[in-house]
Amino acid sequence: MSTPYPFTAIVGQDDLRLGLLLNAVSPAVGGVLVRGEKGTAKSTAVRALAALMPEVSVVPGCRFSCDPVSPDPACPDGPHAEAAGVSRAARTVELPVGASEDRLVGALDIERALSEGVKAFEPGLLADAHRGILYVDEVNLLHDHLVDLLLDAAAMGASYVEREGVSVRHAARFLLVGTMNPEEGELRPQLLDRFGLTVEVAASRDTDERVEVVRRRLAYDDDPEGFAARWAGEEGALRERIAAARALLPRVVLGDGVLRQIAATCAAFEVDGMRADIVMARTATALAAWAGREEVTADDVRQAALLALPHRRRRNPFDAPGLDEDKLDQTLDEAGPQENNDGDDQPDPDPDPDGGGDDDGGGGGGGVPPQADGDRTPPRGEGGSDSDTPSGASGGGPDAPGRSTGAEQQPVASAEPFRTKTLSVPGLGEGAAGRRSRARTEHGRTTGARRPQGSLTKLHLAATVQAAAPHQRARGRSGRGLVVRRDDLRQATREGREGNLVLFVVDASGSMAARQRMSAVKGAVLSLLLDAYQRRDKVGLVTFRGKEAEVALPPTSSVDAAASRLEALPTGGRTPLAAGLLKAHDVLRVERLRDPSRRPLLVVVTDGRATGGPEPVALAGRAGRLHRSEGTASVVVDCESGYVRLGLAGELARELGGTAVTLDELRADSIAGLVKDVTAAGRAA
């Protein structure tokens, strides 16, 4: 086994280390979600924490790590006779992104269960992680149903496996740590809420600190064991401090005053539900124990709020996580006693969480979670930024003529998003689980049965009995039990929903800027992006104006990134429609090679005009037919306005073999028509 990087040797990243240590002191806090850019020691810190965890005593031979003092009465390997326990190090179990449900929760031998009535159970990763650490790298890329199972087990402290009425339960209490890069997509708000704490990490911009990071990493790579030995003293001291804090934790008093501050803070920041209050109380108690105190203070409450609330305030994927610290201080002052600390005190009762005495640069790692009103512009027009309003040039007011202009205009703010109608890809796919188009999935309604390919995961009981029934006499059946063999087993085929690749092709030419249409267009695209987030799609953005088209955002799971690129989109110039469609064709061709099972949906947002170059209309028609020949499902959002309409977007939709909808028809509450299903070229032919 390789020597892990010492936890106390990590430079900076104070918030990350503190969040992990608080969970080590009090696993009831509920785990920690680490958000940050790549290369910021997220995985290194999690793996290093395992060496600091106290050893656990387990029942010899128990696959579920039962405590010999109080073994689980429902343990599948039980009941356990009284015996001396065996001590071992706490495990760190890593859950890979591509894990199956059986690998996570365990698998039942259905054949033996049906024929012998025996619960033959093969434990999964949740059993391995019991009384240890379960680490999920790139948790935002994990399938939603696996995240649900994972967080349910973490909340209940037990894992349940059920297959056609056969049920097995075992204890599963672990420290849950998830890491993610927000650029690759966000977690649903419901799942974010299930993590106790969240910390934001970023690479330090301090030169001396970066030098120290490189120096230590090179020293570790040259001699891991020697490097670890040099930090053994600090590691031992930190291990003892964790044990002391755990012992002190039951004696820590959470007074009515600080409890009132916790409740007032959660109410002031309008977090949903009561989980935030409970997590803050547990975190503040752990902070007091970590500092060696038996009473929770206002500073503990403040630090707990910075760790437990930012990720619970997101209302949609375009909201940046964060907390207004001025508002936090005001709330604590109003809810606290008169002798409460003033706002200039340091919020962290222990600025050096590892206690190693090493100068790591003064907390230049994760830092404080970003402000709610920080440097990131909101994606909708709230009048909060000078760049949100056109600067009086390039055609100016709302009555400007609708002719194309060559002058580039400043980005305009998007209109308020709205709930859109469902746009789906026809047919039956087999892509990643999602909520948009029909697909064969592991979860959903049962539509039939087939012979299993590989291990059996979803038994179709009726089909299995039907396959076994004709052979009972030949197999010598004598009792009431059914003689079932592996050839009789049938896998249930299920139909659910898949996520698609929604590629937006947005016209940013001068004609779109006329009469301030671009604000409404951005609002429509933002609405479709929000819909794509809710339906678990990947998204991409191609824009065209002037003489060319460009890929503003390659296909990604980060809808937030797409919204940011959309907000910064300038307008002006001619309308190279054919170039936009051809650029989209190139993007889809590459994505089909990368992920052939994910079906694309092309959304072209334009008024249908094509200008610039020789025969622009004919070229656009040929580009549209190219998409149609490859069966790409498409929809054209017609942005044409005014009393006189040319209907060019409708003609483009016919070339694409898709459907045209107006901005008004796109709204879910519109009475202009029913839900629009996109027509693919194959169905139109």
Side-chain angles (χ1 to χ4, degrees):
M1 182 177 179
S2 60
T3 303
Y5 192 91
F7 190 88
T8 50
I10 296 173
V11 179
Q13 307 294 23
D14 289 348
D15 287 348
L16 169 60
R17 292 183 295 161
L18 181 60
L20 292 172
L21 290 170
L22 291 178
N23 275 273
V25 171
S26 176
V29 166
V32 58
L33 175 64
V34 185
R35 297 163 43 93
E37 59 196 31
K38 52 188 176 293
T40 48
K42 299 189 296 293
S43 300
T44 299
V46 176
R47 296 187 178 104
L49 181 66
L52 302 175
M53 299 290 287
E55 289 190 341
V56 294
S57 179
V58 299
V59 173
C62 178
R63 297 175 297 169
F64 302 87
S65 302
C66 280
D67 187 345
V69 177
S70 57
D72 181 9
C75 177
D77 285 355
H80 297 298
E82 293 186 8
V86 177
S87 295
R88 63 163 175 80
R91 294 172 179 163
T92 296
V93 177
E94 295 192 27
L95 175 63
V97 171
S100 64
E101 180 179 341
D102 284 349
R103 185 72 185 97
L104 176 63
V105 301
L108 279 171
D109 190 332
I110 299 297
E111 182 180 0
R112 293 187 63 189
L114 289 177
S115 59
E116 304 176 27
V118 176
K119 294 182 180 180
F121 180 67
E122 184 66 28
L125 294 176
L126 292 181
D128 293 341
H130 180 46
R131 305 176 68 198
I133 301 173
L134 182 60
Y135 171 45
V136 189
D137 194 13
E138 306 294 354
V139 64
N140 52 324
L141 303 182
L142 199 64
H143 283 182
D144 283 350
H145 75 281
L146 292 182
V147 178
D148 288 331
L149 291 170
L150 179 66
L151 295 178
D152 283 344
M156 295 185 296
S159 175
Y160 294 85
V161 184
E162 297 191 12
R163 296 287 187 274
E164 302 299 334
V166 181
S167 177
V168 172
R169 173 211 169 274
H170 66 82
R173 293 183 296 275
F174 45 81
L175 194 166
L176 176 62
V177 182
T179 58
M180 59 175 284
N181 184 349
E183 294 178 355
E184 296 174 343
E186 286 286 356
L187 278 172
R188 287 182 291 160
Q190 298 93 327
L191 300 182
L192 282 172
D193 184 55
R194 300 291 287 276
F195 281 94
L197 310 179
T198 184
V199 294
E200 298 276 343
V201 296
S204 172
R205 299 298 182 258
D206 181 83
T207 302
D208 292 338
E209 189 167 325
R210 295 175 74 97
V211 168
E212 186 62 23
V213 170
V214 175
R215 181 181 292 118
R216 294 186 187 183
R217 185 68 206 193
L218 293 178
Y220 170 77
D221 291 340
D222 289 342
D223 183 11
E225 294 183 359
F227 184 83
R230 290 196 294 274
W231 289 89
E234 287 82 353
E235 291 283 287
L238 186 57
R239 191 179 297 110
E240 292 176 0
R241 186 175 176 186
I242 292 174
R246 280 191 168 190
L248 178 62
L249 187 66
R251 303 198 302 272
V252 175
V253 176
L254 185 69
D256 290 342
V258 292
L259 191 57
R260 189 173 187 83
Q261 285 182 312
I262 290 171
T265 301
C266 292
F269 285 99
E270 300 179 348
V271 296
D272 296 331
M274 296 297 298
R275 184 175 286 117
D277 304 62
I278 297 171
V279 170
M280 274 191 64
R282 290 171 174 168
T283 304
T285 304
L287 279 163
W290 178 247
R293 289 183 273 101
E294 294 188 2
E295 185 174 355
V296 177
T297 67
D299 283 340
D300 297 328
V301 175
R302 188 182 193 279
Q303 183 64 43
L306 292 174
L307 293 171
L309 295 187
H311 61 301
R312 292 185 164 90
R313 299 194 63 246
R314 290 174 64 96
R315 291 296 183 266
N316 63 61
F318 312 134
D319 293 338
L323 216 59
D324 185 339
E325 293 195 55
D326 291 337
K327 181 178 179 180
L328 174 61
D329 290 335
Q330 180 181 354
T331 302
L332 292 175
D333 288 341
E334 292 175 351
Q338 294 298 321
E339 63 272 18
N340 191 31
N341 297 330
D342 62 50
D344 293 330
D345 288 348
Q346 293 295 326
D348 188 353
D350 184 13
D352 185 13
D354 62 15
D358 179 69
D359 184 6
D360 281 340
V368 177
Q371 303 298 309
D373 56 350
D375 58 359
R376 186 181 179 279
T377 304
R380 58 188 68 176
E382 297 176 347
S385 173
D386 292 338
S387 63
D388 286 345
T389 305
S391 55
S394 306
D399 297 325
R403 57 185 175 83
S404 176
T405 174
E408 178 176 307
Q409 301 185 27
Q410 293 297 319
V412 298
S414 64
E416 190 74 14
F418 52 85
R419 190 166 64 90
T420 65
K421 290 182 177 178
T422 304
L423 304 175
S424 61
V425 178
L428 196 63
E430 296 182 348
R435 298 184 178 181
R436 183 172 296 279
S437 305
R438 294 173 55 228
R440 298 183 186 91
T441 60
E442 288 293 322
H443 300 270
R445 64 184 181 90
T446 301
T447 58
R450 59 174 173 82
R451 291 181 181 273
Q453 299 172 349
S455 61
L456 180 72
T457 56
K458 300 292 182 181
L459 177 73
H460 194 295
L461 184 58
T464 299
V465 172
Q466 186 177 12
H471 308 290
Q472 296 305 295
R473 182 175 297 177
R475 293 174 182 174
R477 174 186 173 188
S478 57
R480 298 178 60 184
L482 189 67
V483 182
V484 180
R485 294 180 180 173
R486 183 164 295 276
D487 290 342
D488 301 326
L489 299 179
R490 295 294 183 268
Q491 174 86 19
T493 57
R494 304 194 175 200
E495 182 179 315
R497 294 280 170 175
E498 68 176 359
N500 298 110
L501 166 59
V502 183
L503 181 61
F504 294 93
V505 182
V506 180
D507 184 350
S509 64
S511 64
M512 296 292 290
R515 299 195 180 108
Q516 298 300 308
R517 274 189 287 168
M518 202 61 196
S519 177
V521 169
K522 284 187 175 182
V525 177
L526 199 65
S527 304
L528 290 168
L529 284 171
L530 182 57
D531 181 69
Y533 166 79
Q534 294 169 341
R535 299 184 187 279
R536 312 294 179 261
D537 296 316
K538 290 180 67 174
V539 295
L541 180 62
V542 173
T543 63
F544 59 94
R545 66 185 182 90
K547 297 182 180 180
E548 59 185 13
E550 65 173 349
V551 180
L553 182 70
T556 176
S557 297
S558 177
V559 177
D560 187 31
S564 299
R565 302 293 172 86
L566 179 69
E567 281 299 312
L569 181 65
T571 58
R574 294 186 178 273
T575 313
L577 178 57
L581 295 175
L582 292 175
K583 182 67 72 173
H585 179 267
D586 291 341
V587 172
L588 294 180
R589 177 179 54 81
V590 174
E591 285 302 307
R592 284 191 180 99
L593 297 175
R594 291 177 176 172
D595 190 358
S597 64
R598 189 181 288 270
R599 298 187 294 165
L601 173 60
L602 183 67
V603 179
V604 185
V605 185
T606 180
D607 57 8
R609 301 185 183 189
T611 60
E615 300 182 345
V617 177
L619 283 175
R622 287 200 290 271
R625 290 191 292 274
L626 179 61
H627 284 282
R628 178 175 182 173
S629 67
E630 296 185 352
T632 303
S634 59
V635 61
V636 178
V637 180
D638 185 359
C639 302
E640 195 173 25
S641 60
Y643 294 106
V644 179
R645 302 197 180 194
L646 303 178
L648 299 176
E651 293 181 10
L652 175 62
R654 285 189 288 274
E655 297 287 7
L656 287 165
T659 302
V661 296
T662 65
L663 289 175
D664 289 337
E665 292 172 339
L666 192 61
R667 292 178 177 270
D669 55 0
S670 170
I671 60 174
L674 300 175
V675 172
K676 298 277 186 180
D677 279 341
V678 180
T679 303
R683 301 185 70 182

